[in-house]
Amino acid sequence: MGAVEPATVAVRTEGGSYPVVIGAGVRHRLPGVIAGLRAGRVALVSARPEEWLPDTGVPTTVIRLEDGERGKTLSAVEALCERFAEIGLSRADAVVSCGGGSTTDLVGLAAALYHRGVPVVHLPTTLLAQVDASVGGKTGVNLRQGKNLVGTYWQPAAVLCDQEFLSTLPQRELASGYGELARCHFIGEPGLYRLPLAEQVRRSVALKARVVELDERDSGLRHVLNYGHTLGHALETATGFELRHGEAVAIGTVFAGRLAGVLGRITADRVAEHRDVVASYRLPVDVPAGLGADELIGLMRRDKKATRGLTFVLDGPSGAELVHEVPEEAVRTALSTG
Ligand code: GLY
């Protein structure tokens, strides 16, 4: 990815308004952000090596953790809050997260709960976290029964998406971020996949900001951001997180196209477009062999959106929308279509 001039996308919600700054080296803006918050000290929770951590400008305690969905547990939230208490962190201080989406989810939740809420600044270091997880205020951890089943909304005070972090990513991790970009083609950014990656990041964040501003708490429109996620989350759980989030969303996006086709909501060409867009990112398009429809359907019934039967965000004549009470037979048919 080439260097980009920093760009700022503003997010304005009832829960808080903040800038998302995107560009090479923007992590070094952290002291200005912390000074703006008038935070006396910082707990910097990081999954990245010391040399990548920017100065905060105030006394700082670095707390180490590892990225990964398996570490997104309620006991990890408790451990973080205990560390905050041990160092005497107060509401006049701030928490900074530095890592992938699992880190911003976990640290965001700990910041939301500790002292009933302390300011948090995210430094997302993966493509996936930059284009989605760190923006919009969703925080959460997993239960054995499924992904992100416990969490809250806690808007960050700022998000600094430093493109230099992306150069450190293993190819598979970078590819995982493409899954969130691929779905943008179907939810308001058609043709995104044809643009330079830096512009894709900016547009994806801007798309998310527009949606979150209109529906911060997922009561309607925000569900479109979950395009491909119903099956995606089920695949992550069923594979014990062997599939990365973006890979699972990629497969879920192709599946959402197939299901919309089975239900007669879109044409065969549009179904094929789902596969083509996802494949253009060199992402997986098919459910891995060995995963049974019964297990996946059981997991999808526990999805947070599934308040009235099997529920998916599906493309249709009016664009992507939430569709409840999808017949199980249609889901089985779409799952069996490769
Ligand atoms: N990742 C989907 C959302 O933030 O709503």
Side-chain angles (χ1 to χ4, degrees), residues 35 141 179 239 254 299 312:
V141 293
T239 61
V254 177
L299 288 166
F312 298 85

Coordinates of all heavy atoms in Angstrom, one line a residue, residues 35 141 179 239 254 299 312:
A35 N -3.7 15.2 24.9 CA -3.7 16.6 25.5 C -5.1 17.2 25.3 O -5.7 17.8 26.3 CB -2.7 17.5 24.8
V141 N -17.2 -9.0 23.6 CA -16.4 -10.2 23.8 C -17.3 -11.4 23.4 O -18.5 -11.3 23.2 CB -15.9 -10.4 25.2 CG1 -14.9 -9.3 25.5 CG2 -17.0 -10.4 26.2
G179 N -12.1 -8.8 3.3 CA -13.5 -9.3 3.5 C -14.5 -8.2 3.8 O -15.6 -8.1 3.3
T239 N -15.6 -23.0 13.3 CA -14.2 -23.4 13.0 C -13.3 -23.1 14.1 O -12.0 -23.2 14.0 CB -13.6 -22.7 11.7 OG1 -13.6 -21.3 11.9 CG2 -14.4 -23.0 10.5
V254 N -20.7 -14.0 -0.2 CA -21.1 -14.9 -1.4 C -22.4 -15.6 -1.1 O -23.3 -15.7 -1.9 CB -20.0 -15.8 -1.8 CG1 -20.4 -16.7 -2.9 CG2 -18.7 -15.0 -2.1
L299 N -26.2 -22.2 14.7 CA -25.5 -21.0 15.2 C -26.1 -19.7 14.6 O -26.2 -18.7 15.3 CB -24.0 -21.1 14.6 CG -23.1 -22.1 15.4 CD1 -21.8 -22.4 14.6 CD2 -22.8 -21.6 16.8
F312 N -31.3 -12.4 8.0 CA -30.1 -12.0 7.2 C -30.2 -10.6 6.6 O -31.3 -10.2 6.4 CB -29.9 -13.0 6.0 CG -29.7 -14.4 6.4 CD1 -30.8 -15.2 6.7 CD2 -28.4 -15.0 6.6 CE1 -30.6 -16.5 7.1 CE2 -28.3 -16.3 7.0 CZ -29.4 -17.1 7.3

